[in-house]
Amino acid sequence: MRRAALQAVVLAGLASACTGTIGAATPGPDPVFPTDGGVLEDGGCAPVSRNDEVRLALAGACAGCHLAGSRPYWASLTAFEALVYDPKYVTRGDPDNSLLVKLFKGTAPGSFPQMPPGERYDALLARGGASMSIADVERWIRELPPQGAVVAEPMPERFTVRRLTAEEMILSAMSQLGLTLEDFVDTSSPDWRTEEYTVRGGRFFIWPKDWAPGISRQYVSDARTVERYEALGGMAALDNRGKDVSIGPAAMQTLVQQSQAWCRRALEKPGNTAVLRHVALADRSATKAAEIKRNIGALHLRMLSEPATDATIEALYTRVYLPGEAQSTKAGWTAVCASFMRHPLWLSF
Ligand code: HEC
């Protein structure tokens, strides 16, 4: 289902998809968080229901620790509703008897009296780190619709974490980096899939044999296109090969090369702001350090679906970006971008 959706996205020329999930593999526009009144920045996905609106409004304060692991409440609307409709946490219509509200207020019994654990929610709110007031949370619980009032996409694997499949790695990388099939092959002929075709010069194409019916290993200029795909653990129905989502040396080696080649390609693509939103390639640390750090933070959010802490941004700036910039700004940004593609959060689902 998810993969079919991903394929449809890419094959439709990467029109942005609105899946309503906040996840590392989510294709489409940047992860979006609502501003006041539920209007979304960047013209991104609109929430699909009131509960989804609340989920997105709280994401900035809560999703950082609850996207994966044993309590991935923010990973999708379904996961969030598993929390919302658990009577242990929420009594519908009765915020005063809802543990969730006590967590916001810092008055919950047990070893975690408040969420987020490090800082009182009202303090976070006061300094602008959250947008939904506790009174709004209470109002929402008072008016909470019955469970199932809104049909959400089933997500049976919601409490497990696994590595992305090869297809997901290819499609979400393309989407996040602002690349399309056209960057790799000429798709102007309607029969391009069944004809021999040339991979545009040295572009490190990765594509499954199954997605190119009729041709087998005829990628004229780049015979390793299919080989790389198989190294990533991609399946090949024609060869009876199943999916392999283990993280072995072949997959990692291919991913390292892919991350570098594709990030560089994204930086070289004219007019592509997927990687550089807040700086230009010509900007250097001597005069634009603040913008560079801001861009590192934005890219972290875009690719890992999690806001970066200041310490993380600083570490990426000094240890990853600056050493690369000594060679060229392109090398600096390639290093930052490629490091995200090899991050466990990027690789997992
Ligand atoms: C800095 C990380 C962090 C942030 C941010 C965070 N949480 Fe948690 N949350 C935790 C940890 C750690 C636990 C306990 C883990 C466990 O029991 O598995 C937890 C547990 C919970 C629980 C279960 C509590 C219980 O007693 O059973 C709920 C509900 C929860 N968080 C909601 C939230 C909400 C709502 C927010 C945003 C306001 C939030 N969390 C933000 C780390 C975080």
Side-chain angles (χ1 to χ4, degrees):
M1 168 69 212
R2 184 184 178 85
R3 189 151 41 83
L6 284 167
Q7 287 187 20
V9 170
V10 158
L11 298 177
L14 283 170
S16 54
C18 233
T19 63
T21 56
I22 313 172
T26 305
D30 284 356
V32 283
F33 300 107
T35 54
D36 297 347
V39 179
L40 298 172
E41 289 170 352
D42 302 320
C45 295
V48 300
S49 64
R50 174 65 184 143
N51 288 346
D52 204 25
E53 214 172 275
V54 171
R55 178 178 71 101
L56 293 169
L58 295 173
C62 314
C65 304
H66 291 293
L67 268 183
S70 59
R71 299 182 185 273
Y73 301 134
W74 266 262
S76 69
L77 177 57
T78 310
F80 183 62
E81 290 190 334
L83 166 69
V84 172
Y85 291 107
D86 180 342
K88 179 175 174 212
Y89 295 112
V90 176
T91 307
R92 205 158 66 81
D94 190 355
D96 293 342
N97 281 308
S98 296
L99 180 60
L100 186 63
V101 173
K102 296 196 169 86
L103 287 165
F104 276 96
K105 292 181 170 170
T107 59
S111 38
F112 288 95
Q114 69 178 37
M115 283 294 143
E119 184 181 14
R120 283 287 289 270
Y121 185 81
D122 47 13
L124 189 70
L125 202 61
R127 66 170 177 83
S131 59
M132 187 168 174
S133 70
I134 297 178
D136 284 344
V137 171
E138 292 177 314
R139 189 168 321 118
W140 159 64
I141 289 176
R142 221 171 281 125
E143 298 164 2
L144 189 66
Q147 186 167 21
V150 176
V151 180
E153 193 180 321
M155 202 180 150
E157 68 273 66
R158 74 175 184 258
F159 289 121
T160 62
V161 172
R162 61 159 171 81
R163 202 209 80 178
L164 297 184
T165 63
E167 293 90 328
E168 288 165 344
M169 284 165 68
I170 294 167
L171 299 175
S172 51
M174 273 194 187
S175 166
Q176 289 174 344
L177 298 174
L179 298 174
T180 69
L181 268 178
E182 201 54 42
D183 290 309
F184 297 92
V185 289
D186 180 355
T187 61
S188 57
S189 154
D191 296 326
W192 72 272
R193 287 164 166 277
T194 56
E195 290 164 352
E196 255 187 28
Y197 59 80
T198 304
V199 176
R200 299 188 197 279
R203 290 288 158 76
F204 207 89
F205 195 33
I206 307 180
W207 207 245
K209 196 156 54 163
D210 295 354
W211 291 358
I215 52 166
S216 59
R217 305 216 167 82
Q218 290 178 24
Y219 302 85
V220 177
S221 63
D222 189 358
R224 297 201 54 226
T225 289
V226 170
E227 240 172 77
R228 289 184 192 114
Y229 172 78
E230 290 174 3
L232 286 180
M235 77 174 215
L238 299 174
D239 298 343
N240 267 330
R241 272 172 53 105
K243 255 187 236 282
D244 177 4
V245 291
S246 60
I247 306 185
M252 280 317 287
Q253 194 192 6
T254 303
L255 179 64
V256 167
Q257 293 173 350
Q258 178 196 5
S259 64
Q260 286 166 351
W262 287 26
C263 286
R264 202 176 309 117
R265 176 75 197 101
L267 290 163
E268 287 165 354
K269 182 173 177 175
N272 183 16
T273 56
V275 177
L276 299 183
R277 275 183 84 120
H278 302 294
V279 283
L281 199 51
D283 292 336
R284 301 188 64 93
S285 54
T287 53
K288 298 277 185 175
E291 288 83 351
I292 289 169
K293 288 180 195 177
R294 178 161 177 233
N295 196 72
I296 290 174
L299 196 58
H300 188 287
L301 183 60
R302 179 179 175 89
M303 296 187 72
L304 304 183
S305 300
E306 267 195 14
T309 62
D310 290 347
T312 301
I313 292 177
E314 199 57 42
L316 285 163
Y317 176 71
T318 51
R319 287 193 238 140
V320 182
Y321 176 77
L322 286 180
E325 197 206 62
Q327 188 191 330
S328 70
T329 55
K330 196 194 288 178
W333 285 115
T334 300
V336 172
C337 167
S339 78
F340 290 143
M341 270 181 73
R342 305 198 297 256
H343 193 287
L345 274 178
W346 193 88
L347 271 174
S348 59
F349 168 72

